[in-house]
Amino acid sequence: MQTTTPDENINLALLEDATLSGSVSNGRGTPQAILYDPLIEDYSTRTNWNEYGVGFGDDLGRPDADNGFKMASRLAYDKGY
């Protein structure tokens, strides 16, 4: 496998072959809404709030790392980072 030097100007989650997912349903926003694009120095998609998470007023209490909400980006192939 060829190793590539990470580039701070690329958000891997914005690549065409990236698939985004998250564990929150019926909450605020989408995982795409919080993706920052370093090339334009702004969110890749502008919304009113650019947020993702549980609904307004929902109380998760104090979840630990295993019980909080999650967001993931899966790439079609290994980028070598």
Side-chain angles (χ1 to χ4, degrees):
M1 172 177 67
Q2 176 183 355
T3 302
T4 309
T5 304
D7 185 342
E8 64 185 25
N9 293 309
I10 297 174
N11 181 338
L12 294 176
L14 293 174
L15 297 178
E16 284 185 20
D17 64 331
T19 302
L20 295 176
S21 63
S23 62
V24 174
S25 59
N26 299 319
R28 297 181 307 210
T30 64
Q32 293 82 358
I34 60 171
L35 293 181
Y36 188 80
D37 187 341
L39 290 177
I40 62 172
E41 297 182 345
D42 201 356
Y43 291 101
S44 63
T45 302
R46 292 291 302 149
T47 69
N48 287 339
W49 303 104
N50 286 95
E51 61 186 1
Y52 171 64
V54 297
F56 180 77
D58 288 351
D59 186 354
L60 293 178
R62 182 179 270 178
D64 58 22
D66 293 329
N67 295 308
F69 73 88
K70 297 171 179 57
M71 178 185 145
S73 175
R74 185 172 309 273
L75 301 174
Y77 59 92
D78 184 356
K79 299 294 184 205
Y81 295 119

